[in-house]
Amino acid sequence: MDFSRLTIKEIHKSLLDRDFSARELAMHYLDRIRKEESEIAAFLSTSEDLALEQAEQTDKKIAAGEELPLLSGVPCAIKDVILVEGLLCTAGSRILENYKAPYDATSIVRLKSQGAVILGKTNLDEFAMGSSTEHSAFKITRNPHDLERVPGGTSGGSAAAIAADECVFSLGSDTGGSIRQPASFCGVVGLKPTYGAVSRYGLMAHASSLDQIGPLARTVQDCEAVFDAIKGRDPKDSTSAEYPSSSTGRGLNNAIIGVPKEYFGEGLESQTREIIEKAIKKAQKAGAKIKEISLPHSEYALSCYYLIVASEASANLARFDGIKYGSSEPAPDLLEVYSKSRGSGFGAEVKRRIMLGTFALSSGYYDAYYLKAQKARTLIKQDFVDAFKTVDFIFTPVSPFPAFKIGEKVDDPLKMYLSDILTVPISLAGVPALSLPVGKDGHLPVGMQIVGKHFDESGIFQISGQLEKILG
Ligand code: GLN
């Protein structure tokens, strides 16, 4: 039996038909991980015992003829910033090197209740700050399409693990592009849900007004199956919403697609532009109406985003003080315990953001920086609200360029931040967006960003699924 690259529905059917057992499937993937990891390094830890125990539960259910949820027995990987009870959760940081999660994140409770098989925890930029996974304190993950290149970030391990066929789907988190950009770089599908669509309970906070957990998978349909399992209101996260059942219900044949001119300007590599324009043409051929639109305030999104993110991160990371969580450096007085533990526990990018954020929030500067950024955010969001009065979806590139070389940007924060220029406006607006592989620049995958109205994930899935078919 060839297990490779089966979709979730195919796995579900095969399990019910007893073509293979969940245990065999789990063993296959654990084997794949052992084989691939010396090159790819997508995982920070594996959880063989848990995976086999979960697989056995699925096999028992099948043997007993019980009803089988769609994700039952399906092997997955979880970004190491989402808590899985009893497993290490490092956030890619030295400060949490030995930290074990005391409970399950809500998204994990939901995956477990369906019977998904958790293979391990994936690599990321420390505390989900970065765009290449190079800011991990532990290892550098390589892009399966080109081992000299980054997989993107911060959910680089989650994207690379799928591209290298080390799991069927994964969970990532996206604050400013961390699901969409690695999905684009690794040629997989990734969804950043509407803010509030998925509970953040048990997700280590980066910037709480932006963070969302979301799925990465090989196909749009797989991505949708995972999203359906984890979405919806959770009393443990007051920002999570009751998921509405409405959708635009528009397919490619009757959708109006907005193409914002500001997202095709300076800095966009010509190959990437061509690939995206071709995909848009295909959508048009399939009956979609294409309309040029303007999102004028997106120009300010990057500076606005990095002020807000740093400010929120500086507050969120205050809890890692060497006392409450993680590693602690002994010192004669409390203040020194704080400074020594944080000094040795955090990496350079995290420290940079804590300092920037603390400064932006400090009295005298708050109005000039943080408050101003929040006002700009409102304008950016309003652009999207206005645009969605006349269009159903918005298409843009995910990243101005395909996967870059390891080491190319890691010493230049500004260059690294510029990778996010096309994803952060969407995060600030809180709308959902999916990265769909639509072509290749040489051997490097290129993703298109399909943006929808608040809570119109099902519309996004419908139109992306159609495009996926057309594009082969
Ligand atoms: N690259 C962006 C940042 O560094 C986005 C990160 C993310 O989405 N977690 O903030």
Side-chain angles (χ1 to χ4, degrees):
M1 180 78 205
D2 182 13
F3 294 108
S4 64
R5 305 193 182 272
L6 293 173
T7 65
I8 291 175
K9 278 208 168 144
E10 286 164 351
I11 290 172
H12 185 68
K13 182 170 183 306
S14 296
L15 287 173
L16 289 174
D17 291 349
R18 317 230 179 158
D19 296 336
F20 51 76
S21 66
R23 187 186 162 84
E24 282 173 299
L25 187 65
M27 295 287 273
H28 163 80
Y29 273 103
L30 290 166
D31 229 40
R32 289 280 316 148
I33 293 172
R34 272 189 287 272
K35 272 199 197 106
E36 295 296 319
E37 275 302 277
S38 57
E39 268 188 346
I40 306 296
F43 284 82
L44 285 174
S45 57
T46 49
S47 46
E48 188 161 340
D49 291 347
L50 175 66
L52 292 178
E53 186 191 311
Q54 290 171 317
E56 257 153 47
Q57 279 173 21
T58 294
D59 287 333
K60 274 191 195 146
K61 269 194 177 165
I62 296 169
E66 282 174 39
E67 203 181 317
L68 206 66
L70 190 55
L71 299 183
S72 229
V74 180
C76 64
I78 308 296
K79 187 177 184 179
D80 209 21
V81 79
I82 300 169
L83 304 187
V84 180
E85 189 183 338
L87 301 187
L88 285 172
C89 195
T90 68
S93 180
R94 287 266 168 236
I95 209 160
L96 292 177
E97 195 167 3
N98 300 309
Y99 178 74
K100 270 199 184 147
Y103 61 90
D104 280 329
T106 297
S107 55
I108 299 300
V109 171
R110 293 181 180 175
L111 287 186
K112 281 184 174 174
S113 77
Q114 282 229 359
V117 169
I118 296 170
L119 300 168
K121 307 293 298 290
T122 53
N123 198 18
L124 69 156
D125 290 290
E126 186 174 3
F127 285 104
M129 298 176 189
S131 309
S132 66
T133 312
E134 291 166 290
H135 291 312
S136 165
F138 304 113
K139 50 172 80 164
I140 290 191
T141 299
R142 292 174 185 275
N143 189 317
H145 295 271
D146 181 339
L147 298 177
E148 306 280 284
R149 291 177 190 264
V150 302
T154 64
S155 311
S158 287
I162 298 169
D165 198 19
E166 295 177 273
C167 63
V168 177
F169 73 86
S170 57
L171 290 188
S173 65
D174 190 313
T175 304
S178 277
I179 290 175
R180 290 161 283 163
Q181 185 250 29
S184 173
F185 282 13
C186 291
V188 303
V189 181
L191 173 81
K192 182 209 80 87
T194 306
Y195 183 78
V198 177
S199 168
R200 291 181 294 113
Y201 183 71
L203 167 69
M204 285 178 186
H206 171 192
S208 308
S209 75
L210 295 149
D211 297 341
Q212 269 295 283
I213 291 176
L216 296 99
R218 276 185 213 122
T219 67
V220 173
Q221 208 179 48
D222 281 4
C223 201
E224 183 168 14
V226 181
F227 176 68
D228 281 343
I230 61 174
K231 74 182 181 195
R233 166 103 185 118
D234 171 18
K236 290 177 176 149
D237 172 6
S238 62
T239 62
S240 69
E242 203 63 65
Y243 197 83
S245 55
S246 63
S247 145
T248 54
R250 299 214 176 211
L252 269 182
N253 57 326
N254 61 357
I256 305 172
I257 287 159
V259 177
K261 56 176 188 232
E262 291 85 0
Y263 289 62
F264 290 79
E266 213 192 317
L268 178 64
E269 277 190 9
S270 60
Q271 277 298 323
T272 301
R273 172 201 299 271
E274 260 175 47
I275 292 166
I276 299 299
E277 284 176 349
K278 244 193 198 159
I280 294 173
K281 283 247 162 68
K282 290 247 165 112
Q284 190 174 23
K285 256 193 157 169
K289 254 206 205 104
I290 309 295
K291 184 177 171 198
E292 191 186 89
I293 58 166
S294 174
L295 299 166
H297 296 96
S298 287
E299 182 189 341
Y300 308 107
L302 199 69
S303 26
C304 165
Y305 169 83
Y306 274 97
L307 269 166
I308 291 174
V309 154
S311 301
E312 293 186 16
S314 73
N316 276 328
L317 269 56
R319 74 192 70 175
F320 302 106
D321 56 6
I323 305 282
K324 296 189 210 66
Y325 297 98
S327 66
S328 181
E329 292 285 330
D333 67 69
L334 189 61
L335 202 61
E336 231 180 292
V337 173
Y338 291 163
S339 62
K340 275 193 164 169
S341 304
R342 288 166 71 83
S344 64
F346 289 141
E349 180 61 26
V350 174
K351 285 181 189 161
R352 186 176 297 123
R353 294 196 190 193
I354 291 173
M355 283 191 278
L356 266 173
T358 306
F359 179 74
L361 290 176
S362 59
S363 88
Y365 295 99
Y366 180 91
D367 288 2
Y369 295 113
Y370 184 72
L371 193 64
K372 207 166 178 187
Q374 288 293 14
K375 287 179 178 167
R377 180 180 189 171
T378 303
L379 295 174
I380 293 162
K381 189 174 169 188
Q382 192 56 43
D383 281 354
F384 281 87
V385 172
D386 292 341
F388 279 126
K389 284 180 189 152
T390 62
V391 302
D392 302 307
F393 302 98
I394 295 172
F395 286 3
T396 81
V398 172
S399 159
F401 34 70
F404 46 87
K405 288 238 163 87
I406 290 169
E408 194 180 314
K409 299 185 197 288
V410 72
D411 296 323
D412 186 339
L414 199 58
K415 262 195 187 164
M416 192 69 93
Y417 296 168
L418 281 167
S419 326
D420 307 319
I421 194 152
L422 304 173
T423 49
V424 297
I426 284 90
S427 304
L428 291 168
V431 289
L434 178 140
S435 173
L436 181 74
V438 292
K440 278 193 170 177
D441 174 358
H443 59 298
L444 300 174
V446 171
M448 182 158 81
Q449 183 167 227
I450 298 173
V451 189
K453 298 175 185 171
H454 284 104
F455 295 103
D456 191 22
E457 276 83 357
S458 64
I460 291 183
F461 287 131
Q462 186 182 343
I463 206 158
S464 309
Q466 289 174 318
L467 264 176
E468 184 182 49
K469 265 203 197 112
I470 294 171
L471 296 164

